[in-house]
């Protein structure tokens, strides 16, 4: 019998059993609401496996602890977490030292696939480390009963799990439980993974890697699906099978497949009040007979569930699904309907609704490592792999449901094959296990027959009011609206709505989003999914705070290293007054201005509009010089950057004008900006900087330590002074880009995406532009391709001093208000601000890199160093979780823009910015006016190519 422990939740004492999860302990006493989202909406336990982050609470001062993954301890103090108001607790400003190890094989995931892979590889003599998020091995299918379980299950499934765990324990493979992998990369010798284990960060290098991360349940997109009391069938089954706890009150189960029947039978055995089971399929008998021929034991087990439910008087409504849920005076009112559209609905009042729409593989680590994807029969992404899980990446296997759902039997068999393949890959002898191949063949026959029996019509389109993205509370109607305005893929919807930007990083909303896009006639392929993010799970920032060298220079991207996103669909038209190449903020602004001037305009982009630098920047509207813009760190000691400041002021005003003209909300805020100094040398730097800025009309003045504390009390007390610039501010690039794109199209410009320019040649009075989608004629051209502009200049035999260099950014989880202005440092690489959604957005020109596919990606040392500076400046950062980071292509020139007619080509204008987002609309407008009139504004002459000299080879140099 497990001991009773007492802990506190929101000031009330709660009794639990030793070994309970927090989620189980709270469910056992009827506590459902665990906090609120930024908008005040209540949230509670949902997925039960640490994916959704709906059950976050604060434990003993640690913020954002998943209740479903945390074990209760006597005396722990737990509070509901309210994103808008829960304070950020203090945390260590320095991460512990990384513990480094090397093994032959790492296995990620300790479910059936992972354990079988580890057993096979260890038996063959490999050193094996298994990394698993759970507190005990077995995965979702073989979850073991805890010491706290109110019931000791003795069914066959539990017995099989115990046998598997015993086999693993008797071998030599090691396991690190409660380990969260946050980083994975391919190395010349294999792979490197970094993970958080208890209070320590560790790194492991390995020569082979098996990913067996399993799958998670797909939520039903229905009105009310995010209410507390609505959870997945898997979450409820974890409560029942692992802890012997019912979800609470009267329970309705609604799903698709045998899992709902199993849960219902298990809850009845625990004494729960089960209102019924709504099963979307009709459970056709003929294919069920075929399934019985392949696996008679499993089908008999399923029949046993139905018999038990019938004996208990529990109705099973076949061909029925949930239409909507509402909260009514402490209970849920659930409306059921026929999946076939038959007239008539049923209302059931319950306290808990358990829902499932099937399973989705956890692809995050496989995608971070570059594994190829394909589409399964449901239209969802899965890993392209062999029977043993082998991918196209040498030494990488993806086994079990983590590559594509197939069930526990196939997962276990594939795990064994992957372990044997790893042995052979590392030069060890390994048998060919024909028995395992036969198991897989039989299990696949069973799965095909089973899902033929449970076949059901596709769910009808969700109503507009249903929430699609739980984390950011984005509705289906909002997504449909941006699709109708031109969004074509998940990434463009994400940039327009924030769908997929929350803590789960799109894991739960991606399938539903794909369905909405397909219903609107948009093709959704694996290539256009949300980009994989670091970390793949939120990680407490204090694990990653390490001081790093401040600046090692840009990592320049090859001109040929760009993601292949173009299509071969022919261009609709082929003759224009102006062709703008590049559909970022500068290109769209040029297209808008030229179209408003009466020109026929085509704007081309190799990728998606505003998806590279313009879609990945931090949204600062800078008006003062940063530490790398002035003095010793700056090119020419910052003279050119200084002369750019009046343009930045003009462009910030233009942003405000555009916002008013277009009737849009760019979320522009004149917050002011601080550059902070810690010591006399840094103060002297700020004084010189402020004096220089005054010569070009920029208001900046030095404020004292007391003034800093009065204005921004959350900043560290180490700062002796700051340069305060009241004219600085911020903008939401996602909102502004969307409005600019719509405005350019409304003005008559044609914006064509996924169209690569392959050649530009003079043609009479204009130019012929060859693209992957056919030729187009242009009388005038604006080159606005950012860091890739040199590639276009070379097509006209002009070498341009422009390079693309990825820079990274980091964003934390939502927090209460901490800083109101832009923050930078006088001698460190840092920019920092708090977004309207509460996250702390951190940048500062820390370099990223470009992978082999041309995709910018984050460097872990930049991530650590950037966070260290941020936490030293704003200590609350250390107490928050990092939810994502990304690298976006930056333009590297010499600290100032290039706005010039191309030498020898008076009908071609180059528009390339430094401090690009701030300057984008102004540079674009002036480029359009210059290309149409044939001359530039006189005060812009200093930003032409004349400031560079030409070598004998024609190379432009500063």
């Amino acid at each position: 019998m497990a001991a009773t422990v007492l802990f506190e939740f929101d000031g009330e004492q709660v009794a639990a059993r030793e070994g309970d999860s927090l989620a189980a302990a709270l469910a056992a006493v009827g506590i459902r609401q665990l906090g609120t989202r930024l908008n005040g909406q209540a949230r509670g336990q949902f997925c039960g496996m640490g994916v959704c982050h709906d059950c976050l609470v604060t434990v003993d001062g640690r913020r954002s602890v998943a209740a479903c993954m945390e074990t209760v301890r006597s005396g722990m103090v737990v509070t509901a977490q309210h994103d808008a108001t829960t304070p950020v607790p203090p945390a260590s400003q320095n991460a512990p030292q990384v513990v480094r190890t090397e093994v032959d094989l790492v296995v990620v995931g300790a479910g059936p696939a992972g354990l079988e892979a580890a057993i096979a590889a260890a038996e063959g003599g490999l050193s094996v480390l298994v990394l698993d998020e759970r507190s005990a091995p077995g995965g979702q299918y073989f979850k073991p009963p805890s010491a706290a379980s109110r019931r000791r299950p003795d069914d066959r499934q539990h017995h099989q799990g115990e046998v598997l765990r015993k086999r693993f324990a008797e071998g030599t493979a090691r396991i690190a439980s409660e380990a969260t992998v946050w980083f994975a990369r391919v190395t010349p010798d294999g792979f490197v993974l970094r993970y958080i284990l208890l209070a320590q960060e560790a790194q492991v290098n390995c020569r082979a890697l098996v990913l067996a991360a399993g799958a998670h349940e797909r939520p039903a997109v229905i009105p009310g699906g995010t209410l507390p009391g609505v959870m997945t069938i898997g979450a409820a089954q974890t409560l029942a099978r692992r802890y012997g706890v019912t979800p609470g009150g009267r329970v309705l189960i609604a799903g698709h497949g045998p899992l709902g029947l199993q849960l219902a039978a298990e809850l009845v055995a625990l004494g729960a009040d089960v209102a019924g089971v709504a099963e979307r399929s009709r459970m056709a008998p003929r294919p069920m007979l075929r399934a019985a021929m392949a696996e008679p034991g499993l089908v008999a087990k399923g029949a046993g569930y139905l018999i038990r439910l019938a004996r208990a008087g529990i109705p099973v409504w076949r061909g029925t699904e949930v239409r909507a849920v509402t909260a009514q005076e402490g209970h849920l009112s659930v409306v059921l309907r026929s999946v076939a559209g038959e007239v008539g609905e049923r209302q059931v009042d319950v306290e808990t609704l358990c829902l499932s729409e099937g399973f989705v593989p956890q692809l995050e680590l496989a995608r971070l490592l570059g594994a190829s994807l394909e589409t399964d029969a449901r239209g969802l992404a899965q890993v392209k792999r062999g029977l043993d899980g082998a991918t196209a990446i040498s030494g990488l296997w993806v086994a079990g449901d983590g590559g594509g759902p197939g069930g526990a039997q196939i997962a276990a068999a594939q795990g064994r094959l992957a372990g044997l393949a790893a042995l052979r890959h590392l030069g060890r002898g390994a048998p060919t296990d024909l028995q395992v191949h036969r198991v897989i063949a039989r299990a696949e026959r069973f799965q095909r027959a089973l899902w033929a029996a449970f076949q059901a019509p596709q769910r009808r389109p969700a109503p507009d009011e249903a929430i699609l993205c739980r984390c950011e509370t984005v509705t289906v109607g909002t997504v449909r609206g941006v699709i109708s305005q031109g969004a074509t893929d998940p990434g463009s919807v994400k940039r327009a709505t924030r769908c997929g930007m929350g803590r789960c990083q799109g894991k739960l909303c991606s399938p539903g989003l794909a369905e909405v896009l397909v219903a609107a006639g948009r093709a959704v392929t694996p290539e256009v999914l949300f980009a994989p993010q670091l970390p793949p799970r939120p990680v407490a920032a204090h694990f990653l705070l390490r001081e790093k060298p401040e600046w090692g220079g840009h990592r320049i991207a090859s001109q040929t290293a760009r993601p292949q996103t173009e299509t071969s669909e022919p261009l609709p038209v082929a003759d224009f007054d102006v062709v703008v190449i590049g559909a970022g903020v500068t290109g769209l602004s040029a297209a808008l201005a030229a179209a408003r001037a009466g020109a026929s305009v085509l704007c081309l982009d190799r990728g998606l509009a505003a998806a590279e630098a313009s879609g990945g920047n931090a949204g600062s509207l800078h008006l003062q010089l940063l530490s790398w813009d002035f003095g010793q760190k700056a090119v020419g000691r910052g003279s050119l950057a200084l002369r750019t400041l009046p343009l930045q002021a003009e462009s910030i005003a233009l942003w405000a004008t555009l916002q008013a003209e277009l009737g849009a909300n760019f979320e522009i805020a004149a917050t002011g900006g601080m550059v902070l100094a810690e010591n006399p040398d840094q103060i002297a730097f700020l004084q010189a900087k402020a004096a220089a800025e005054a010569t070009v009309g920029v208001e900046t003045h030095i404020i004292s330590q007391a003034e800093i504390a009065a204005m921004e009390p959350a900043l560290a007390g180490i700062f002796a002074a700051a340069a305060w610039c009241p004219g600085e501010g911020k903008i939401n690039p996602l909102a502004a880009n969307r409005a600019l794109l719509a405005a350019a199209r409304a003005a008559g410009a044609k914006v064509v995406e996924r169209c690569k320019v392959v050649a530009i040649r003079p043609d009479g009075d204009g130019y012929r532009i060859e693209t992957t989608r056919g030729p187009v004629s242009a009388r005038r051209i604006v080159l606005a391709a950012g860091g890739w502009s040199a590639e276009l200049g070379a097509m006209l035999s002009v070498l341009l001093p422009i390079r693309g260099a990825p820079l990274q950014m980091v964003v934390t989880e939502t927090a209460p208000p901490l800083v109101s202005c832009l923050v930078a440092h006088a001698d460190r690489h840092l920019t920092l601000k708090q977004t309207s959604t509460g996250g702390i957005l951190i940048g500062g020109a820390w370099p990223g890199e470009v992978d082999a596919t041309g995709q910018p990606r984050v460097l872990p040392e930049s991530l650590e160093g950037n966070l260290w500076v941020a936490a030293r400046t704003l200590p609350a950062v250390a107490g928050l979780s990092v939810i994502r980071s990304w690298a976006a292509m930056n333009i590297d020139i010499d600290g100032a823009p290039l706005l010039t007619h191309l030498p020898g080509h008076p009908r071609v204008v180059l528009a390339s910015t430094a401090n690009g987002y701030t300057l984008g609309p102004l540079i674009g407008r002036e480029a359009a006016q210059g290309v149409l009139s044939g001359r530039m504004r006189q005060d812009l002459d200093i930003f032409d190519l004349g400031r560079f000299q030409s070598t004998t080879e024609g190379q432009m140099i500063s």
Side-chain angles (χ1 to χ4, degrees):
M1 179 70 69
T4 299
V5 297
L6 299 176
F7 70 96
E8 184 180 298
F9 180 79
D10 276 357
E12 299 291 329
Q13 199 169 70
V14 178
R17 302 268 187 109
E18 189 176 24
D20 269 347
S21 71
L22 260 177
L26 294 172
V29 296
I31 295 175
R32 301 172 179 280
Q33 182 172 335
L34 303 181
T36 55
R37 297 179 172 87
L38 183 65
N39 63 0
Q41 287 188 358
R43 52 176 176 76
Q45 182 181 185
F46 179 67
C47 77
M49 56 185 297
V51 173
C52 71
H53 308 285
D54 274 8
C55 67
L56 298 183
V57 291
T58 297
V59 177
D60 294 336
R62 288 184 296 132
R63 207 172 187 269
S64 299
V65 176
C68 66
M69 304 294 282
E70 185 79 1
T71 302
V72 295
R73 298 182 306 279
S74 182
M76 71 193 317
V77 177
V78 184
T79 57
Q81 183 168 304
H82 307 285
D83 286 347
T85 58
T86 294
V88 181
S92 171
Q93 300 293 304
N94 290 284
Q97 186 175 358
V98 178
V99 176
R100 290 176 167 82
T101 59
E102 291 188 10
V103 296
D104 295 324
L105 173 69
V106 167
V107 178
V108 178
L115 292 181
E116 288 286 3
I119 292 168
E123 286 175 345
L126 297 185
S127 57
V128 181
L129 174 64
V130 179
L131 303 176
D132 190 60
E133 284 190 328
R134 299 173 186 273
S135 58
Q140 190 72 354
Y141 187 75
F142 286 139
K143 54 180 90 63
S146 72
S149 181
R150 278 75 172 167
R151 170 176 170 265
R152 299 297 295 176
D154 56 2
D155 58 60
R156 181 186 176 197
Q157 186 173 329
H158 270 297
H159 175 69
Q160 289 174 326
E162 290 300 327
V163 171
L164 180 59
R165 278 185 287 274
K166 182 179 179 182
R167 287 174 53 218
F168 175 79
E170 290 172 346
T172 60
R174 295 183 295 116
I175 186 168
S177 297
E178 299 184 62
T180 300
V181 178
W182 75 269
F183 177 85
R185 286 275 162 86
V186 179
T187 69
D189 300 321
F191 306 89
V192 58
L193 293 92
R194 294 175 66 172
Y195 57 97
I196 308 301
L197 180 63
L198 301 177
Q200 184 69 58
E201 189 194 1
Q203 175 178 309
V204 58
N205 289 75
C206 58
R207 296 189 291 154
L209 175 62
V210 174
L211 299 180
H216 62 78
E217 279 175 276
R218 173 182 175 179
V221 182
I222 56 173
T226 61
L227 291 169
V230 179
M231 65 177 63
T232 66
I233 287 177
Q237 195 174 58
T238 296
L239 293 177
R241 290 186 66 79
R242 180 150 171 73
Y243 303 106
V245 171
T246 68
R250 197 165 189 239
V251 182
L252 173 65
I253 300 164
H256 181 200
L259 193 61
L261 300 174
Q262 180 182 4
L263 173 62
E266 290 169 345
L267 291 181
V268 168
L270 285 170
D273 180 6
V274 178
V277 178
E279 165 56 47
R280 296 195 72 249
S281 76
R282 296 286 183 181
M283 292 189 285
R286 184 170 296 177
M288 196 67 77
L289 288 175
R290 294 200 303 272
M293 293 174 65
E295 291 287 354
L298 290 177
V299 174
K301 184 179 178 181
Y305 299 146
L306 288 169
I307 292 169
R308 273 182 267 172
L309 294 178
R311 287 175 177 170
I314 308 300
V316 177
W317 299 298
R318 305 185 189 202
T320 302
E321 66 185 8
V322 176
R323 180 178 68 79
V325 189
T326 55
Q328 303 286 342
E329 297 180 352
H331 65 267
L332 301 175
S333 183
V334 184
V335 178
L336 301 176
R337 67 182 177 190
S338 165
V339 299
E342 299 166 1
V343 177
E345 293 183 339
R346 181 192 313 268
Q347 181 172 312
V348 182
D349 290 341
V350 293
E351 279 70 46
T352 301
L353 171 62
C354 303
L355 276 172
S356 180
E357 290 288 296
F359 291 86
V360 179
Q362 301 201 69
L363 302 172
E364 302 81 50
L365 292 176
R367 296 190 66 209
L368 281 172
L369 293 166
S372 298
L373 303 182
E374 60 186 3
T375 303
D376 68 10
R378 304 167 301 163
L380 300 177
Q382 63 180 15
V383 175
K384 187 182 292 185
R385 55 184 177 164
L387 184 66
D388 62 356
T391 70
I393 298 172
S394 177
L396 175 66
W397 292 262
V398 180
D401 289 358
Q409 282 185 302
I410 292 175
Q414 192 172 59
R416 176 163 176 78
L417 291 179
L420 295 174
L423 281 169
R424 289 188 285 270
H425 175 73
L426 296 180
R428 307 293 180 92
T432 300
D433 197 329
L434 298 178
Q435 176 63 27
V436 174
H437 287 273
R438 286 191 288 269
V439 169
I440 291 176
R442 186 176 68 248
E444 286 179 339
R445 288 197 303 272
F446 169 73
Q447 288 288 327
R448 286 193 296 269
L450 180 71
W451 289 109
F454 280 95
Q455 186 175 6
Q458 185 175 351
R459 180 178 281 276
R460 278 169 274 179
D464 282 351
E465 67 269 21
I467 291 175
L468 179 60
C469 175
R470 307 172 66 88
C471 300
E472 298 290 326
T473 57
V474 179
T475 65
V476 173
T478 299
V479 170
R480 287 188 178 128
V482 300
I483 292 173
S484 70
Q485 295 169 13
T488 59
D489 66 289
S492 55
V493 171
K494 180 179 182 177
R495 290 187 293 274
T497 66
R498 296 189 59 82
C499 180
M501 285 192 180
R503 289 183 174 102
C504 91
Q505 297 184 351
K507 296 177 183 69
L508 297 183
C509 62
S510 291
L513 174 56
E515 283 191 353
V516 176
L517 281 161
V518 170
R522 309 296 197 271
V524 179
T525 63
E527 291 75 24
V528 298
L529 296 176
F530 294 147
Q533 299 283 335
L534 274 180
R537 290 276 201 280
V539 172
H542 66 82
F543 285 115
L544 308 177
L545 307 176
R546 294 183 179 88
E547 187 175 11
K548 298 290 181 178
E550 285 289 312
W551 183 245
H554 287 297
R555 296 204 176 193
I556 304 302
S558 164
Q559 292 295 315
T560 59
R562 296 189 69 186
Q564 301 299 310
T565 58
E566 62 268 7
T567 177
S568 58
E569 181 183 348
L571 289 172
V573 282
D575 188 22
F576 293 89
D577 294 330
V578 178
V579 169
V580 180
I581 304 175
V585 61
T586 301
L588 291 174
S589 298
L592 172 62
R596 283 180 169 179
S600 60
V601 180
L602 172 67
C603 184
L604 300 174
D605 199 286
R606 176 172 176 167
L608 300 175
E612 282 197 9
S614 297
N617 74 95
S620 299
L621 295 179
H622 285 299
L623 190 54
Q624 66 176 321
L625 300 172
L626 298 173
S627 65
W628 55 89
D629 291 331
F630 183 76
Q632 295 293 334
K633 293 182 181 180
V635 176
R637 298 185 63 84
S639 59
L640 276 170
L642 179 66
R643 298 175 73 179
T644 305
L645 294 186
L647 291 189
Q648 292 175 209
E650 184 180 357
S651 197
I652 291 171
L654 180 55
W655 272 122
T657 299
L658 284 168
Q659 178 176 245
E661 284 180 359
L662 302 181
N665 180 11
F666 298 173
E667 299 177 23
I668 295 175
T671 61
M674 286 184 186
V675 180
L676 299 161
E678 299 182 43
N679 55 49
D681 288 344
Q682 293 173 9
I683 295 173
F685 168 84
L686 293 184
Q687 290 169 335
K689 182 179 81 75
E693 288 162 345
T695 65
V696 294
V698 173
E699 178 190 352
T700 310
H701 51 273
I702 307 303
I703 60 175
S704 68
Q705 187 175 47
E707 290 172 300
I708 295 171
M711 295 169 67
E712 299 292 350
L715 294 178
I718 60 175
F719 299 109
W724 169 252
C725 178
E728 285 202 301
K730 59 185 179 181
I731 187 171
N732 181 348
L734 306 178
N737 294 341
R738 177 181 168 194
L740 273 179
L741 176 59
R745 285 174 166 156
K750 296 188 180 300
V751 181
V752 176
E753 301 172 306
R754 305 180 191 276
C755 182
K756 178 184 177 181
V757 173
V758 295
I760 307 173
R761 290 189 292 271
D763 185 18
D765 291 337
Y767 292 86
R768 180 180 174 89
I769 302 171
E770 302 287 347
T771 81
T772 51
R773 297 175 59 177
V776 60
S777 295
R779 281 171 280 285
R780 298 169 182 84
I781 297 175
V782 174
L783 303 181
W788 310 110
S789 295
E791 182 180 0
L792 300 173
M795 295 177 186
L796 293 169
S797 301
V798 178
L799 300 182
L800 298 173
I802 300 172
R803 303 178 298 178
L807 299 179
Q808 66 143 62
M809 277 144 283
V810 188
V811 67
T812 73
E813 63 179 320
T814 297
L818 293 169
V819 286
S820 62
C821 70
L822 299 183
V823 176
H825 195 287
D827 193 41
R828 301 275 191 179
H829 277 263
L830 176 71
T831 60
L832 182 152
K833 70 174 79 60
Q834 190 161 18
T835 69
S836 61
T837 55
I840 307 298
L841 187 54
I842 302 164
W846 287 79
E849 64 180 357
V850 174
D851 65 18
T853 69
Q855 186 69 44
R857 66 181 185 183
V858 170
L859 291 167
E861 56 268 30
S862 286
L863 182 67
E864 293 170 315
N866 205 173
L867 283 170
W868 185 88
V869 177
R872 178 179 171 83
T873 304
L874 180 67
V877 166
L880 295 170
S881 292
V882 175
I883 63 170
R884 69 181 185 277
S885 63
W886 67 97
M889 196 57 64
N890 183 56
I891 305 168
D892 182 33
I893 309 175
D894 61 354
L898 269 172
L899 185 59
T900 182
H901 286 88
L902 219 58
H905 299 277
R907 291 173 176 264
V908 179
V909 166
L910 170 66
S912 192
T913 64
N915 231 331
Y917 208 82
T918 301
L919 286 170
L922 179 68
I923 297 298
R925 184 192 71 185
E926 295 303 321
Q929 293 177 356
V931 82
L932 290 172
S933 68
R935 60 184 182 277
M936 291 293 178
R937 256 172 46 182
Q938 188 173 356
D939 63 318
L940 301 179
D941 287 347
I942 60 171
F943 302 113
D944 66 15
L945 282 166
R947 69 179 190 263
F948 294 89
Q949 298 174 344
S950 177
T951 67
T952 54
E953 294 81 21
Q955 177 90 32
M956 303 302 298
I957 61 171
S958 56

